[in-house]
PDB file of all heavy atoms in Angstrom:
ATOM      1  N   ILE A 880     -76.898  39.685  25.222  1.00 91.00           N
ATOM      2  CA  ILE A 880     -77.801  39.750  26.368  1.00 91.00           C
ATOM      3  C   ILE A 880     -77.213  40.735  27.365  1.00 91.00           C
ATOM      4  O   ILE A 880     -76.086  40.559  27.838  1.00 91.00           O
ATOM      5  CB  ILE A 880     -77.983  38.370  27.019  1.00 91.00           C
ATOM      6  CG1 ILE A 880     -78.503  37.361  25.992  1.00 91.00           C
ATOM      7  CG2 ILE A 880     -78.943  38.460  28.196  1.00 91.00           C
ATOM      8  CD1 ILE A 880     -78.676  35.955  26.539  1.00 91.00           C
ATOM      9  N   THR A 881     -77.946  41.789  27.665  1.00 87.00           N
ATOM     10  CA  THR A 881     -77.474  42.846  28.539  1.00 87.00           C
ATOM     11  C   THR A 881     -78.451  43.053  29.684  1.00 87.00           C
ATOM     12  O   THR A 881     -79.520  42.447  29.730  1.00 87.00           O
ATOM     13  CB  THR A 881     -77.326  44.174  27.768  1.00 87.00           C
ATOM     14  OG1 THR A 881     -78.613  44.787  27.632  1.00 87.00           O
ATOM     15  CG2 THR A 881     -76.729  43.948  26.380  1.00 87.00           C
ATOM     16  N   GLN A 882     -78.090  43.916  30.606  1.00 85.00           N
ATOM     17  CA  GLN A 882     -78.997  44.256  31.701  1.00 85.00           C
ATOM     18  C   GLN A 882     -80.218  45.010  31.198  1.00 85.00           C
ATOM     19  O   GLN A 882     -81.242  45.060  31.880  1.00 85.00           O
ATOM     20  CB  GLN A 882     -78.259  45.103  32.742  1.00 85.00           C
ATOM     21  CG  GLN A 882     -77.232  44.326  33.541  1.00 85.00           C
ATOM     22  CD  GLN A 882     -76.478  45.202  34.511  1.00 85.00           C
ATOM     23  OE1 GLN A 882     -75.720  46.080  34.099  1.00 85.00           O
ATOM     24  NE2 GLN A 882     -76.676  44.988  35.797  1.00 85.00           N
ATOM     25  N   ASN A 883     -80.121  45.579  30.011  1.00 84.00           N
ATOM     26  CA  ASN A 883     -81.214  46.369  29.441  1.00 84.00           C
ATOM     27  C   ASN A 883     -82.053  45.594  28.432  1.00 84.00           C
ATOM     28  O   ASN A 883     -82.928  46.159  27.789  1.00 84.00           O
ATOM     29  CB  ASN A 883     -80.640  47.615  28.761  1.00 84.00           C
ATOM     30  CG  ASN A 883     -79.844  48.468  29.717  1.00 84.00           C
ATOM     31  OD1 ASN A 883     -80.296  48.762  30.814  1.00 84.00           O
ATOM     32  ND2 ASN A 883     -78.643  48.855  29.320  1.00 84.00           N
ATOM     33  N   GLY A 884     -81.778  44.312  28.291  1.00 87.00           N
ATOM     34  CA  GLY A 884     -82.520  43.507  27.328  1.00 87.00           C
ATOM     35  C   GLY A 884     -81.584  42.824  26.350  1.00 87.00           C
ATOM     36  O   GLY A 884     -80.362  42.860  26.503  1.00 87.00           O
ATOM     37  N   ILE A 885     -82.168  42.221  25.330  1.00 91.00           N
ATOM     38  CA  ILE A 885     -81.384  41.548  24.291  1.00 91.00           C
ATOM     39  C   ILE A 885     -81.260  42.476  23.085  1.00 91.00           C
ATOM     40  O   ILE A 885     -82.253  43.043  22.624  1.00 91.00           O
ATOM     41  CB  ILE A 885     -82.048  40.220  23.880  1.00 91.00           C
ATOM     42  CG1 ILE A 885     -82.076  39.258  25.070  1.00 91.00           C
ATOM     43  CG2 ILE A 885     -81.306  39.581  22.715  1.00 91.00           C
ATOM     44  CD1 ILE A 885     -82.728  37.925  24.771  1.00 91.00           C
ATOM     45  N   PHE A 886     -80.039  42.624  22.580  1.00 91.00           N
ATOM     46  CA  PHE A 886     -79.787  43.486  21.431  1.00 91.00           C
ATOM     47  C   PHE A 886     -79.147  42.681  20.303  1.00 91.00           C
ATOM     48  O   PHE A 886     -78.297  41.826  20.550  1.00 91.00           O
ATOM     49  CB  PHE A 886     -78.856  44.639  21.809  1.00 91.00           C
ATOM     50  CG  PHE A 886     -79.466  45.643  22.740  1.00 91.00           C
ATOM     51  CD1 PHE A 886     -79.405  45.466  24.112  1.00 91.00           C
ATOM     52  CD2 PHE A 886     -80.121  46.758  22.249  1.00 91.00           C
ATOM     53  CE1 PHE A 886     -79.980  46.376  24.988  1.00 91.00           C
ATOM     54  CE2 PHE A 886     -80.702  47.678  23.103  1.00 91.00           C
ATOM     55  CZ  PHE A 886     -80.628  47.492  24.483  1.00 91.00           C
ATOM     56  N   PRO A 887     -79.535  42.951  19.061  1.00 93.00           N
ATOM     57  CA  PRO A 887     -78.897  42.276  17.926  1.00 93.00           C
ATOM     58  C   PRO A 887     -77.417  42.657  17.854  1.00 93.00           C
ATOM     59  O   PRO A 887     -77.070  43.838  17.973  1.00 93.00           O
ATOM     60  CB  PRO A 887     -79.662  42.809  16.711  1.00 93.00           C
ATOM     61  CG  PRO A 887     -80.936  43.368  17.266  1.00 93.00           C
ATOM     62  CD  PRO A 887     -80.608  43.861  18.629  1.00 93.00           C
ATOM     63  N   ARG A 888     -76.551  41.696  17.676  1.00 92.00           N
ATOM     64  CA  ARG A 888     -75.120  41.972  17.570  1.00 92.00           C
ATOM     65  C   ARG A 888     -74.850  42.771  16.311  1.00 92.00           C
ATOM     66  O   ARG A 888     -75.342  42.450  15.236  1.00 92.00           O
ATOM     67  CB  ARG A 888     -74.364  40.638  17.558  1.00 92.00           C
ATOM     68  CG  ARG A 888     -72.844  40.724  17.545  1.00 92.00           C
ATOM     69  CD  ARG A 888     -72.264  41.331  18.792  1.00 92.00           C
ATOM     70  NE  ARG A 888     -72.655  40.709  20.033  1.00 92.00           N
ATOM     71  CZ  ARG A 888     -72.098  39.621  20.569  1.00 92.00           C
ATOM     72  NH1 ARG A 888     -71.150  38.976  19.930  1.00 92.00           N
ATOM     73  NH2 ARG A 888     -72.496  39.169  21.743  1.00 92.00           N
ATOM     74  N   GLY A 889     -74.055  43.838  16.454  1.00 90.00           N
ATOM     75  CA  GLY A 889     -73.673  44.653  15.307  1.00 90.00           C
ATOM     76  C   GLY A 889     -74.611  45.803  14.998  1.00 90.00           C
ATOM     77  O   GLY A 889     -74.545  46.360  13.889  1.00 90.00           O
ATOM     78  N   ILE A 890     -75.475  46.193  15.962  1.00 90.00           N
ATOM     79  CA  ILE A 890     -76.323  47.357  15.719  1.00 90.00           C
ATOM     80  C   ILE A 890     -75.448  48.597  15.569  1.00 90.00           C
ATOM     81  O   ILE A 890     -74.252  48.581  15.864  1.00 90.00           O
ATOM     82  CB  ILE A 890     -77.353  47.547  16.855  1.00 90.00           C
ATOM     83  CG1 ILE A 890     -76.643  47.669  18.211  1.00 90.00           C
ATOM     84  CG2 ILE A 890     -78.357  46.409  16.864  1.00 90.00           C
ATOM     85  CD1 ILE A 890     -77.585  47.938  19.370  1.00 90.00           C
ATOM     86  N   GLN A 891     -76.043  49.709  15.148  1.00 88.00           N
ATOM     87  CA  GLN A 891     -75.258  50.887  14.814  1.00 88.00           C
ATOM     88  C   GLN A 891     -74.420  51.386  15.994  1.00 88.00           C
ATOM     89  O   GLN A 891     -73.303  51.871  15.816  1.00 88.00           O
ATOM     90  CB  GLN A 891     -76.170  52.009  14.310  1.00 88.00           C
ATOM     91  CG  GLN A 891     -75.415  53.214  13.773  1.00 88.00           C
ATOM     92  CD  GLN A 891     -76.326  54.190  13.058  1.00 88.00           C
ATOM     93  OE1 GLN A 891     -77.547  54.070  13.116  1.00 88.00           O
ATOM     94  NE2 GLN A 891     -75.738  55.156  12.381  1.00 88.00           N
ATOM     95  N   SER A 892     -74.923  51.248  17.211  1.00 83.00           N
ATOM     96  CA  SER A 892     -74.208  51.744  18.382  1.00 83.00           C
ATOM     97  C   SER A 892     -73.288  50.695  19.004  1.00 83.00           C
ATOM     98  O   SER A 892     -72.706  50.926  20.061  1.00 83.00           O
ATOM     99  CB  SER A 892     -75.213  52.219  19.434  1.00 83.00           C
ATOM    100  OG  SER A 892     -76.067  51.155  19.830  1.00 83.00           O
ATOM    101  N   ASP A 893     -73.141  49.545  18.350  1.00 84.00           N
ATOM    102  CA  ASP A 893     -72.334  48.459  18.902  1.00 84.00           C
ATOM    103  C   ASP A 893     -70.862  48.664  18.553  1.00 84.00           C
ATOM    104  O   ASP A 893     -70.370  48.217  17.529  1.00 84.00           O
ATOM    105  CB  ASP A 893     -72.827  47.116  18.360  1.00 84.00           C
ATOM    106  CG  ASP A 893     -72.239  45.930  19.106  1.00 84.00           C
ATOM    107  OD1 ASP A 893     -71.256  46.138  19.844  1.00 84.00           O
ATOM    108  OD2 ASP A 893     -72.762  44.815  18.959  1.00 84.00           O
ATOM    109  N   ASP A 894     -70.153  49.340  19.448  1.00 78.00           N
ATOM    110  CA  ASP A 894     -68.727  49.559  19.220  1.00 78.00           C
ATOM    111  C   ASP A 894     -67.914  48.319  19.560  1.00 78.00           C
ATOM    112  O   ASP A 894     -66.794  48.156  19.077  1.00 78.00           O
ATOM    113  CB  ASP A 894     -68.230  50.729  20.075  1.00 78.00           C
ATOM    114  CG  ASP A 894     -68.861  52.048  19.668  1.00 78.00           C
ATOM    115  OD1 ASP A 894     -69.065  52.246  18.462  1.00 78.00           O
ATOM    116  OD2 ASP A 894     -69.180  52.861  20.557  1.00 78.00           O
ATOM    117  N   GLY A 895     -68.441  47.461  20.412  1.00 80.00           N
ATOM    118  CA  GLY A 895     -67.726  46.252  20.787  1.00 80.00           C
ATOM    119  C   GLY A 895     -67.628  45.268  19.642  1.00 80.00           C
ATOM    120  O   GLY A 895     -66.597  44.624  19.438  1.00 80.00           O
ATOM    121  N   PHE A 896     -68.722  45.135  18.876  1.00 84.00           N
ATOM    122  CA  PHE A 896     -68.755  44.222  17.722  1.00 84.00           C
ATOM    123  C   PHE A 896     -69.353  44.978  16.532  1.00 84.00           C
ATOM    124  O   PHE A 896     -70.487  44.742  16.133  1.00 84.00           O
ATOM    125  CB  PHE A 896     -69.585  42.981  18.053  1.00 84.00           C
ATOM    126  CG  PHE A 896     -69.012  42.146  19.163  1.00 84.00           C
ATOM    127  CD1 PHE A 896     -69.392  42.359  20.477  1.00 84.00           C
ATOM    128  CD2 PHE A 896     -68.075  41.161  18.890  1.00 84.00           C
ATOM    129  CE1 PHE A 896     -68.865  41.587  21.509  1.00 84.00           C
ATOM    130  CE2 PHE A 896     -67.543  40.390  19.910  1.00 84.00           C
ATOM    131  CZ  PHE A 896     -67.934  40.609  21.225  1.00 84.00           C
ATOM    132  N   PRO A 897     -68.605  45.923  15.963  1.00 86.00           N
ATOM    133  CA  PRO A 897     -69.139  46.751  14.878  1.00 86.00           C
ATOM    134  C   PRO A 897     -69.408  45.947  13.613  1.00 86.00           C
ATOM    135  O   PRO A 897     -68.664  45.017  13.283  1.00 86.00           O
ATOM    136  CB  PRO A 897     -68.045  47.791  14.649  1.00 86.00           C
ATOM    137  CG  PRO A 897     -66.792  47.149  15.155  1.00 86.00           C
ATOM    138  CD  PRO A 897     -67.210  46.283  16.300  1.00 86.00           C
ATOM    139  N   PHE A 898     -70.453  46.330  12.918  1.00 89.00           N
ATOM    140  CA  PHE A 898     -70.847  45.669  11.677  1.00 89.00           C
ATOM    141  C   PHE A 898     -69.711  45.647  10.667  1.00 89.00           C
ATOM    142  O   PHE A 898     -69.434  44.620  10.034  1.00 89.00           O
ATOM    143  CB  PHE A 898     -72.066  46.399  11.086  1.00 89.00           C
ATOM    144  CG  PHE A 898     -72.369  46.046   9.663  1.00 89.00           C
ATOM    145  CD1 PHE A 898     -73.043  44.877   9.347  1.00 89.00           C
ATOM    146  CD2 PHE A 898     -71.983  46.886   8.618  1.00 89.00           C
ATOM    147  CE1 PHE A 898     -73.320  44.540   8.031  1.00 89.00           C
ATOM    148  CE2 PHE A 898     -72.264  46.559   7.296  1.00 89.00           C
ATOM    149  CZ  PHE A 898     -72.931  45.383   7.008  1.00 89.00           C
ATOM    150  N   GLU A 899     -69.035  46.778  10.511  1.00 85.00           N
ATOM    151  CA  GLU A 899     -67.987  46.875   9.493  1.00 85.00           C
ATOM    152  C   GLU A 899     -66.837  45.904   9.752  1.00 85.00           C
ATOM    153  O   GLU A 899     -66.164  45.477   8.807  1.00 85.00           O
ATOM    154  CB  GLU A 899     -67.445  48.311   9.426  1.00 85.00           C
ATOM    155  CG  GLU A 899     -68.407  49.327   8.815  1.00 85.00           C
ATOM    156  CD  GLU A 899     -69.436  49.841   9.813  1.00 85.00           C
ATOM    157  OE1 GLU A 899     -69.417  49.390  10.978  1.00 85.00           O
ATOM    158  OE2 GLU A 899     -70.265  50.684   9.433  1.00 85.00           O
ATOM    159  N   SER A 900     -66.614  45.539  11.010  1.00 84.00           N
ATOM    160  CA  SER A 900     -65.491  44.664  11.346  1.00 84.00           C
ATOM    161  C   SER A 900     -65.898  43.211  11.534  1.00 84.00           C
ATOM    162  O   SER A 900     -65.077  42.309  11.343  1.00 84.00           O
ATOM    163  CB  SER A 900     -64.811  45.150  12.633  1.00 84.00           C
ATOM    164  OG  SER A 900     -64.311  46.460  12.480  1.00 84.00           O
ATOM    165  N   TYR A 901     -67.150  42.971  11.898  1.00 86.00           N
ATOM    166  CA  TYR A 901     -67.562  41.623  12.278  1.00 86.00           C
ATOM    167  C   TYR A 901     -68.678  41.043  11.411  1.00 86.00           C
ATOM    168  O   TYR A 901     -69.289  40.052  11.763  1.00 86.00           O
ATOM    169  CB  TYR A 901     -67.993  41.605  13.743  1.00 86.00           C
ATOM    170  CG  TYR A 901     -66.847  41.698  14.713  1.00 86.00           C
ATOM    171  CD1 TYR A 901     -66.344  42.934  15.090  1.00 86.00           C
ATOM    172  CD2 TYR A 901     -66.254  40.553  15.244  1.00 86.00           C
ATOM    173  CE1 TYR A 901     -65.288  43.034  15.981  1.00 86.00           C
ATOM    174  CE2 TYR A 901     -65.195  40.644  16.131  1.00 86.00           C
ATOM    175  CZ  TYR A 901     -64.723  41.879  16.497  1.00 86.00           C
ATOM    176  OH  TYR A 901     -63.675  41.977  17.366  1.00 86.00           O
ATOM    177  N   CYS A 902     -68.965  41.690  10.292  1.00 87.00           N
ATOM    178  CA  CYS A 902     -69.907  41.106   9.324  1.00 87.00           C
ATOM    179  C   CYS A 902     -69.293  41.253   7.950  1.00 87.00           C
ATOM    180  O   CYS A 902     -69.350  42.316   7.352  1.00 87.00           O
ATOM    181  CB  CYS A 902     -71.274  41.794   9.374  1.00 87.00           C
ATOM    182  SG  CYS A 902     -72.448  41.120   8.169  1.00 87.00           S
ATOM    183  N   HIS A 903     -68.694  40.182   7.447  1.00 76.00           N
ATOM    184  CA  HIS A 903     -68.014  40.260   6.153  1.00 76.00           C
ATOM    185  C   HIS A 903     -68.075  38.924   5.444  1.00 76.00           C
ATOM    186  O   HIS A 903     -67.058  38.257   5.261  1.00 76.00           O
ATOM    187  CB  HIS A 903     -66.561  40.701   6.324  1.00 76.00           C
ATOM    188  CG  HIS A 903     -65.988  40.355   7.663  1.00 76.00           C
ATOM    189  ND1 HIS A 903     -65.928  39.066   8.145  1.00 76.00           N
ATOM    190  CD2 HIS A 903     -65.494  41.145   8.636  1.00 76.00           C
ATOM    191  CE1 HIS A 903     -65.391  39.071   9.339  1.00 76.00           C
ATOM    192  NE2 HIS A 903     -65.115  40.309   9.677  1.00 76.00           N
ATOM    193  N   PRO A 904     -69.278  38.496   5.025  1.00 70.00           N
ATOM    194  CA  PRO A 904     -69.410  37.188   4.379  1.00 70.00           C
ATOM    195  C   PRO A 904     -68.938  37.148   2.939  1.00 70.00           C
ATOM    196  O   PRO A 904     -68.993  36.108   2.302  1.00 70.00           O
ATOM    197  CB  PRO A 904     -70.917  36.933   4.458  1.00 70.00           C
ATOM    198  CG  PRO A 904     -71.521  38.300   4.453  1.00 70.00           C
ATOM    199  CD  PRO A 904     -70.552  39.179   5.201  1.00 70.00           C
TER     200      PRO A 904
END
């Protein structure tokens, strides 16, 4: 949840929670 709206965690521009590091089932 951001000032600009709600964004899915791990989107391509998400450097804070990158897909490659935080999605590994």
Side-chain angles (χ1 to χ4, degrees):
I880 303 178
T881 80
Q882 289 177 293
N883 302 312
I885 297 179
F886 291 87
R888 184 65 55 83
I890 57 177
Q891 187 170 10
S892 60
D893 192 346
D894 295 323
F896 296 92
F898 166 80
E899 289 82 359
S900 300
Y901 286 86
C902 179
H903 26 58

